[in-house]
Amino acid sequence: MTARALLLATALLAGLAPAAAQTRQDTFASRDIITAPVLRPHVQVSADIVRIGDVIDNAGSAAQIAIYRAPDLGTTGSLPVTQVLNTLRTHHVIGVDTRDLKEISVTRLARTLEGKDIELQIARALERRNGLGDAANLSLTFDRDPGDVRLDAGFTGGMQASMVRYDSRNGRFDVTFEITNENGAAPAKLRFTGTAIETVEAAVLARNVERNEILKSSDVVVERRPKAEVGADAAARDRAVGMQARRQLRAGQAIRTADLAKPDLVQRDQNVTLIYDAPGIYLTMRGKALESGTEGDVVNVMNLQSKRTLSGTVTGRGQVSIMVATPRPAQTSDATSSLGARPAATPVAVATVNSSVAPKAE
């Protein structure tokens, strides 16, 4: 029995020997396929620290070990390779393939919020609040210039206004935004304070203008001005050009509708043409304006022949149509008498109804 047991054990050992040898070979083979750590030339991180796994490939269990502080948000720094290797050795990471690099770059990823986008979001938050108008018409002044704001790359959410305050008495605003993080971190909070003023497009004088002066196209420019400064009767540029100043105006002043009037077509003491137009008769004569007036105004004029004062309507530049009562059919008086003309012996310029154009004033 003992001999038989020995023979059986020997047979079993002989059968297990090849299997054990194969296991040892597989173990050595698995060790051979472990790839050596390789240094990366360019590193990008989104956190505020740099880990071994960020710097080298195939870092294994040491990948999560922090070794450096990351650069500022949105910036890039460099590290000498010799310094990196020394740091790795302290954490028992050796045999790193450097690829003959002398230094590596480390970039801190960030999300940048541009100043103009921040201003737009604040204007939208304040739109139509406590008497304010459209966001496009709001002019913001910050207590502290926000510039471009940088956040960790994980803050990918939109700017959501969590608190909005506006005091219409002094124009002060206080707005806070929250931006969510895709990694589950607490939202970032951004607070901005300053003043908000509603503006409108206004016609502004480019030079000083005297009373009764006619505005030319080069005299008027368009600028955005505070609505409170301009008032409700701001004049549009296209309506200001060609109008006459009612009073003296200074350069840089926003023009109001009340500052303008239609231009005078007749000036006081100006020589004018007096026109009488009645069925069958068209009569003109020289006169002198005693008042200034624009088209449609009734002014007093003097007939230079008779020296009589008449009333007429301004119908054109230097022209006044005389209002003459139509004589009754039974009367045979000369129409010139109503114009204050001298007796019939005095020559008077008369044109028949066939002439449709008034003679040029002398």
Side-chain angles (χ1 to χ4, degrees):
M1 290 294 293
T2 304
R4 183 179 297 178
L6 289 173
L7 289 174
L8 182 60
T10 303
L12 290 173
L13 290 172
L16 292 174
Q22 183 64 38
T23 301
R24 287 194 299 272
Q25 291 177 359
D26 293 343
T27 301
F28 289 130
S30 63
R31 290 179 180 177
D32 291 340
I33 63 175
I34 296 177
T35 307
V38 179
L39 195 64
R40 294 175 179 171
H42 304 291
V43 177
Q44 292 183 337
V45 295
S46 57
D48 58 352
I49 57 175
V50 180
R51 305 175 189 273
I52 291 179
D54 297 323
V55 176
I56 61 174
D57 294 320
N58 310 316
S61 60
Q64 297 303 315
I65 299 176
I67 53 176
Y68 293 113
R69 182 176 295 277
D72 292 337
L73 288 168
T75 63
T76 299
S78 61
L79 290 170
V81 171
T82 54
Q83 178 183 337
V84 175
L85 294 178
N86 290 335
T87 302
L88 293 176
R89 288 192 190 100
T90 62
H91 296 284
H92 309 289
V93 178
I94 59 176
V96 178
D97 182 1
T98 63
R99 299 181 181 180
D100 296 328
L101 297 173
K102 301 300 181 184
E103 65 179 16
I104 63 173
S105 63
V106 180
T107 300
R108 174 93 175 269
L109 299 177
R111 177 188 178 185
T112 301
L113 303 175
E114 296 185 0
K116 62 180 181 180
D117 293 331
I118 294 174
E119 184 171 350
L120 176 60
Q121 292 298 326
I122 295 175
R124 288 176 176 173
L126 295 173
E127 187 174 40
R128 302 189 181 283
R129 183 176 292 268
N130 294 346
L132 288 176
D134 296 337
N137 295 331
L138 300 184
S139 176
L140 305 182
T141 302
F142 293 92
D143 293 335
R144 185 176 182 181
D145 184 10
D148 294 341
V149 176
R150 290 188 174 92
L151 302 173
D152 282 331
F155 292 100
T156 57
M159 295 180 63
Q160 301 296 328
S162 59
M163 184 191 71
V164 180
R165 295 175 181 171
Y166 175 73
D167 190 340
S168 59
R169 294 170 298 179
N170 53 25
R172 297 284 304 170
F173 70 81
D174 187 343
V175 180
T176 299
F177 294 100
E178 288 189 356
I179 302 176
T180 57
N181 191 299
E182 63 181 5
N183 300 322
K189 292 188 177 182
L190 302 175
R191 182 184 178 189
F192 304 96
T193 59
T195 56
I197 299 174
E198 185 175 1
T199 64
V200 296
E201 284 192 349
V204 178
L205 288 173
R207 65 177 182 86
N208 293 332
V209 174
E210 299 299 325
R211 182 176 179 274
N212 294 331
E213 192 172 353
I214 305 300
L215 299 183
K216 302 186 293 294
S217 178
S218 59
D219 296 333
V220 185
V221 296
V222 176
E223 295 180 1
R224 296 203 71 89
R225 292 292 179 88
K227 185 177 180 180
E229 172 190 325
V230 177
D233 62 339
R237 182 181 185 278
D238 56 347
R239 295 192 176 184
V241 174
M243 298 293 281
Q244 180 175 303
R246 291 182 181 271
R247 57 188 179 85
Q248 188 180 34
L249 303 174
R250 67 180 185 278
Q253 180 177 345
I255 306 173
R256 301 171 184 244
T257 304
D259 297 330
L260 305 175
K262 291 182 179 180
D264 288 339
L265 299 180
V266 170
Q267 299 287 342
R268 182 178 180 180
D269 295 331
Q270 175 186 355
N271 288 333
V272 296
T273 299
L274 307 181
I275 300 174
Y276 169 72
D277 191 1
I281 298 177
Y282 185 88
L283 178 66
T284 64
M285 60 187 62
R286 291 179 298 173
K288 180 179 180 181
L290 303 180
E291 298 174 313
S292 299
T294 186
E295 185 176 7
D297 287 349
V298 177
V299 297
N300 290 324
V301 293
M302 177 184 291
N303 184 328
L304 294 180
Q305 289 182 329
S306 65
K307 305 300 182 184
R308 292 183 58 184
T309 299
L310 310 170
S311 293
T313 302
V314 178
T315 57
R317 189 168 296 280
Q319 295 182 346
V320 178
S321 293
I322 304 303
M323 295 179 292
V324 179
T326 303
R328 297 179 181 179
Q331 294 177 344
T332 59
S333 61
D334 193 342
T336 60
S337 62
S338 61
L339 289 173
R342 292 182 178 179
T346 304
V348 178
V350 179
T352 64
V353 75
N354 293 332
S355 176
S356 59
V357 180
K360 185 177 180 181
E362 296 181 5

